[in-house]
Amino acid sequence: MAGLEKVLEIYEQIWALNYALALIGWDSETYMPEGSAKERGEVTSVLETMKQRLYISQNLLSALEELEESAESDVEKGIVRVLRRTIKYYTAIPADLVKKEEKVVNEAKIAWRRAKKEANFSLFAPYLEEIVEINRKKAEYLGYEDHPYDALLDLYEEGATTRELESFFDSLIPPLERELKRILSSGWPQDHPLEEAPYREMDMETLNREILNLLGFDWGLMRIDRSAHPFTEGIGLYDVRITTWYHGKDFRRSLLATIHEFGHALYERQCDPKFWKTPVCGGVSLGIHESQSRFWENIIARSRAFASFLSPIVKHHLGIEASPDDLFYYFNLVRPSLLRVEADEVTYNFHIALRFEIEKGLIDGSIEVKELPSLWNQRMEEYLGVVPPDDSLGVLQDIHWSLGAMGYFPTYSIGTVVAAQIKEKMEKDLDLENLIEKGEFGPIREWLRERIHRWGAIYPPKELLRRSLGGGPDPEAFLNYVRGKYKW
Ligand SMILES: [Zn+2]
């Protein structure tokens, strides 16, 4: 049997376990009865161990070696690359560190929730110390060339390095600070009465469904539910699920979350079916994934053309009279604020730059956990001119660190920037504005499929960007987008 067939025969079991784990993960966030979490946790842990064993099995390793020698096509090389990455992770990190991480994270999640509720960082600080320590060790085991943070970044964005991201934020943040000052002093709206407009959840759900229909949601293979925080779960190529949220007012939040998750889902769904049941089926990295969600959320749904398209639909389903102009400004308020998840597209990247600096410093030891609250507040004031009144609106706001994740945040800014690059490139081929205004999203989906989605994970993110967009992430594209959009 040829190397590829052997590898895929073993991988089929991993694929099936991944499918089961994803379905279980989706259910845990949507329909699982509250009291079932403990039993569910044990099932997940058994399945994870089975998967890990398959990855490091001698069978797979010898088949992979054989494939490595004979691999000629991009697909075969991609399969080898993706498998090698996962195997490296499972073999480099010793089992006792994994066990320790599981234990710390279990306790840290609870401590973080309590600390956040009581706005008391000191309740979470000892756990964060341990999480930083675990991540430092992980970096040592995984190895890096230049900075220990590189090893962690690579887990979420293959090939990303500290040095590259430093230069990325150096080209992005200072000009963006100037843009923000300009926008704020120009009298651009910072708030809007529609933020207070109430809706009935039933109506909002119908509106979300109608918009998904128009965007091209495939109801035969996709579904939408609700959860505490919106997310997408690509269970398989033929089962992709999204969730959204409802707040009873400020319909923009529910709608934009729905459209954001649609972008993630479409990326998963439009992978070349030839890659089905292989390790290269699905999105290549978190940054590229986020570029797809941000493209639909920011570039499409926050455009003037979309506001025109949306105005009659909002009136029909929510009974809210809002002119295209109303909707455009309501969707594009620029308001320096405390919370990352509520930030607009102009101020968003400052929140990420702050987290990047902090994570890098924690990992290389130049920042200590105990300094975080004051450092956080000081940087928020410098970047955005706002100071959190307490730690729950400051350093404790995100769940990521409590889950042990360090190196994740920068992928949000990579995605935001790449989305603007996609717009630039797409406009050379399509009359984007006209298509959006008419609600013709087919050519847009097709463009994304052809350039980005169909390739799955066969190329590393930077290589994919080079092939599909000529390079990147390129902060200049995002800055141009901001300069063009936010002017009266
Ligand atoms: Zn996202």
Side-chain angles (χ1 to χ4, degrees), residues 39-58:
E39 185 181 46
R40 179 65 56 92
E42 287 187 30
V43 169
T44 308
S45 152
V46 171
L47 294 178
E48 286 285 358
T49 311
M50 289 168 71
K51 190 171 95 173
Q52 191 171 338
R53 258 190 229 132
L54 286 167
Y55 266 117
I56 58 174
S57 68
Q58 200 47 53

Side-chain angles (χ1 to χ4, degrees), residues 260 264 290 293:
H260 178 104
H264 281 304
E290 200 61 10
S293 55

Side-chain angles (χ1 to χ4, degrees), residues 388-421:
D390 60 49
D391 293 341
S392 107
L393 295 167
V395 66
L396 289 170
Q397 64 183 268
D398 293 308
I399 196 171
H400 303 60
W401 293 339
S402 78
L403 302 175
M406 303 202 115
Y408 188 123
F409 286 118
T411 65
Y412 292 124
S413 276
I414 293 173
T416 308
V417 164
V418 170
Q421 272 180 265

